[in-house]
Amino acid sequence: MAGQGSGGNVLAAICNVFFPGLGQLVQGRILAALIFAIVFVGGAALWWLVVPGIIAAIVYVWAIIDAAKYDPNR
C-alpha cells in the first residue's frame, strides 16, 4: 500500500463496508482483521442485549475508518 489516502486504502475501506475486517485483510493485517471480525460478529449475534449491538455498530464504523487511515510507515 502506498499510504494514507491511497487507492489501496480506499479499496480496503470499501471492503470493510461489506464485512468488518475484510479491508484489514486486504492490507495484510491479519491480527487486526481477526479482532474486528470477531468483535463485530459477537456483538451482532447478541444485538438483542442492546449494548453488544451498539459496540458492533461502533466497531463497524471504526474498521472502515481504520482501513482508510492506515499508514504502513507508522
Side-chain angles (χ1 to χ4, degrees), residues 4 6-7 9-11 13 15 17 20 26 30 34-35 39 42 44 49 55-59 64 72 74:
Q4 186 175 352
S6 71
N9 284 0
V10 172
L11 178 64
C15 288
V17 170
V26 167
I30 296 171
L34 285 173
I35 291 171
V39 173
L49 291 175
I55 292 171
I58 290 169
V59 167
I64 295 169
R74 189 165 39 141

Side-chain angles (χ1 to χ4, degrees), residues 16-52:
N16 273 331
V17 170
F18 296 107
F19 188 81
L22 186 59
Q24 283 77 10
L25 195 60
V26 167
Q27 291 173 330
R29 301 165 44 207
I30 296 171
L31 183 61
L34 285 173
I35 291 171
F36 278 121
I38 290 170
V39 173
F40 174 76
V41 169
L46 299 173
W47 64 269
W48 48 272
L49 291 175
V50 179
V51 173

